[in-house]
Amino acid sequence: MVYFASGLVAAVVCCLFGVAVDGQSESVFTVPGPFPTSLYSLYYNNPTATTAQPQPVISDPVTHKVFPLSLTDPDNIPQSDTVDPHPLPPTASPSQILQQAITQIQSIAANPAFGNNQCARCQASLEVAKFVALSAPGQGPNLAVSLCEYFDYSSACAANYGPLALGPIFTQVVAYADVGGYDGQLICGEFLGLCSVPSTLPLNLTGWFSKPKPNPLPPPKKPTGERLKVLHISDLHIDPRYANRAEANCTSGLCCRENSYNSESPHTPLLPAPRFGYFLCDTPYALIAAVLEAIPPLTGSEATGFNFTLFTGDMLAHDPDYQQSRAYNEYSEVVLFDLIKRMLGPGPVYVTLGNHDSYPTDLAAPLSMGDGLGQQFSWLYDHVTALWEYQGWLPAASVDYSRAHYAAYMVKRADGLRIISLNTNLWYRSNYLNYINASHPDTSGMMRFLTDELQAAEDAGDRAWIIGHVPSGWDGTNGLYNPTDLFYQIVDRYTPHVIANIFWGHMHEDELSIFYTNNGTNMSAETAQAVSWSGPSVTPLTKLNSGFRMYEVDSGTFEVLDAYTWKSPVDTYSQLDSQLEYGPTFEFEYSARDAYGRNIPWGANDPLNATWWHLVTEQMEANSSLISDVWNNYQGKGSIFIPPCTGECVTARICYIRSGSSSIAKQNCPAGYGSVQ
């Protein structure tokens, strides 16, 4: 037993039990076991049970409502209350969505959290635009205009990007594209320079080809010695709005128009537009008629006509989209096809669509787009196909496919040659609709069509020519990497035994590219397989002479034996306005065989095939003047404005000649030397 002083014990007990220890109060209290049922008048259960807590019936004195057992029942705890309100903001109107989107993108542009990562800013902004396109698509064009104005992207934002121009197209793109991924990076890289352009993605060709490449290859076709005459015209760009005596040396836009001017003399033309055209203008009626009138006598085809003609696209002038329409498209098609038929004779003309043959310009929608948008250019394909059929150029067997598939087609000629025409807008860098699912190399099905047609040609033992507008290679600035990479592999699979030649337009210049085996990993005369020829333009735009070409082709092998090019010096056109006796002069420019093959041991009837052209590039490496003096001059059709090409430019041009795809050009070649314009 321990004894404490009475004062100390009292203090301790007081602190421990909270009661005074005075001999009159108990120091310990034991609560009775049963729940005090008198606390509540009603219970949902037996309040004295020891197996569960009591569930009294509780009434709210304010609402006078009794709380139900389900609210506190331990055996059935309620989940996700559906009675109480869970407030959301009100549905925004389309105009409110637009204003919020503008505000958010402006905030993204100014937010320091992004630091120097302009690519992340751009893709984040595209995500905001995507929300607008999906929730309020009618506001998509207004968003495009507002952002154009805010970022000072153009001086004509409403005209270029409003609801009657490219605004609806931009809305489609952000609605369907993976703007947070590959598509968005590509958009921000190609059009805004805010992201690095993603590299070519690895191809998975498993199952793409139904049969392996024959090994050994079938024996080559035997030459007949008979030479076909094939005309190649390109980029006519007729300008029915051309205004004689308007400013031909304007400082912005398309010249030789009533509204064109030079900023140094806004009201009086410094250089009145000649009636036959000028270097900064598209092709007036007078020049269209002149070139078509000159072709037969210069090519010796007045009596016989051509065996056939290739027209590699671009019929319309370079009007901005807000000055174009479907009717303007159809007008140009009708005029040019009619003149070509009447002035060049009865031979068939195989036409491919160019980027300036759609409205809006540059576009083609892959059929894989949903909601009927894949057919939004059917009006164009229907009309041109009907015209080709009307002129007798497209057989009935090719009509239905052309109408339904981008005005692409295959024609099997009676002589055994197959002409395969592609709509290369579907790989064109400026076609905004190509940025939807851009990681896939064939969203349109165009490469599938080409592969199937080439396989059919191989099975039948036929040869094929491929025609298109936008080149797959050269300097790599026009074709998107993934689809042109797939095209290169298809060419590799079906050359040299099926594909005899490939023909493009678009560049307005005289160019050529070689395709090699194994994606060009070893470029030599032995590995060279195919050649693509880019035809010179009829239009002088920009700072070029007008020109055209004729090929001599063996009727058995369908190989090119020589290519002859003619030009017309546009700098002389001003001198023709004061008289009516003479029009433009068209003069022979060069023979490819004579210009480049003098030091190559090659038979007179051997084809100018990929092997020959590779040997030409070896000559160019050994003698740079073949590029700086010869090729450079012919590339611009002898224009007085051709800039010199020396040093790295020479190396680059040889590299472009050896680049059949954009990805190969990007990988191997110095940039910035592709054009003489």
Side-chain angles (χ1 to χ4, degrees), residues 188-396:
C188 292
E190 290 287 3
F191 295 109
L192 300 173
L194 299 177
C195 292
S196 60
V197 176
S199 301
T200 309
L201 295 176
L203 274 177
N204 181 4
L205 294 177
T206 303
W208 183 266
F209 300 110
S210 61
K211 298 177 182 178
K213 190 171 184 174
N215 186 16
L217 292 173
K221 298 286 186 180
K222 294 183 178 180
T224 63
E226 176 191 6
R227 296 196 175 201
L228 307 176
K229 287 186 174 182
V230 178
L231 177 67
H232 186 180
I233 54 176
S234 194
D235 296 85
L236 273 66
H237 290 288
I238 185 172
D239 186 0
R241 296 165 174 168
Y242 188 101
N244 293 358
R245 314 299 294 172
E247 180 61 70
N249 190 31
C250 65
T251 48
S252 65
L254 184 62
C255 299
C256 303
R257 292 288 187 85
E258 285 294 351
N259 62 345
S260 61
Y261 64 91
N262 188 299
S263 58
E264 295 183 3
S265 179
H267 304 295
T268 304
L270 296 178
L271 179 59
R275 73 179 188 274
F276 288 104
Y278 195 67
F279 291 107
L280 301 180
C281 313
D282 267 324
T283 317
Y285 259 103
L287 181 55
I288 291 287
V291 69
L292 294 177
E293 189 175 0
I295 287 173
L298 288 174
T299 58
S301 61
E302 289 175 290
T304 60
F306 295 99
N307 293 92
F308 58 91
T309 294
L310 307 178
F311 177 12
T312 49
D314 269 8
M315 293 172 273
L316 275 75
H318 290 78
D319 294 80
D321 286 317
Y322 61 83
Q323 293 180 351
Q324 295 196 24
S325 65
R326 292 185 181 185
Y328 191 50
N329 257 65
E330 292 166 350
Y331 172 92
S332 300
E333 295 160 7
V334 169
V335 167
L336 290 177
F337 296 156
D338 172 65
L339 288 174
I340 290 170
K341 179 65 175 287
R342 288 193 287 127
M343 299 184 73
L344 295 182
V349 180
Y350 303 117
V351 186
T352 189
L353 290 184
N355 61 299
H356 283 277
D357 297 333
S358 66
Y359 167 70
T361 304
D362 302 333
L363 301 180
L367 293 173
S368 57
M369 286 185 70
D371 305 312
L373 293 174
Q375 287 75 38
Q376 61 188 296
F377 295 100
S378 293
W379 63 271
L380 170 61
Y381 310 144
D382 286 344
H383 190 255
V384 293
T385 301
L387 287 175
W388 298 337
E389 185 180 24
Y390 171 78
Q391 298 292 357
W393 300 338
L394 200 62

Side-chain angles (χ1 to χ4, degrees), residues 565-588:
T565 305
W566 287 263
K567 66 177 182 179
S568 180
V570 175
D571 55 298
T572 65
Y573 288 1
S574 293
Q575 304 166 22
L576 304 175
D577 281 349
S578 60
Q579 51 80 50
L580 293 176
E581 185 177 0
Y582 302 108
T585 296
F586 289 83
E587 58 193 45
F588 180 71

Side-chain angles (χ1 to χ4, degrees), residues 468-480:
H469 182 68
V470 178
S472 61
W474 184 244
D475 64 350
T477 59
N478 287 278
L480 289 169

Side-chain angles (χ1 to χ4, degrees), residues 617-669:
T617 64
E618 291 181 350
Q619 293 288 313
M620 291 171 170
E621 289 175 320
N623 178 9
S624 63
S625 67
L626 270 178
I627 286 286
S628 60
D629 297 341
V630 182
W631 178 279
N632 193 53
N633 184 56
Y634 291 154
Q635 186 174 333
K637 294 168 282 182
S639 168
I640 61 173
F641 292 105
I642 295 174
C645 178
T646 57
E648 189 179 52
C649 174
V650 172
T651 303
R653 294 277 174 84
I654 296 171
C655 190
Y656 301 156
I657 296 171
R658 292 173 174 175
S659 298
S661 74
S662 290
S663 60
I664 290 178
K666 172 71 173 179
Q667 174 182 319
N668 295 342
C669 306

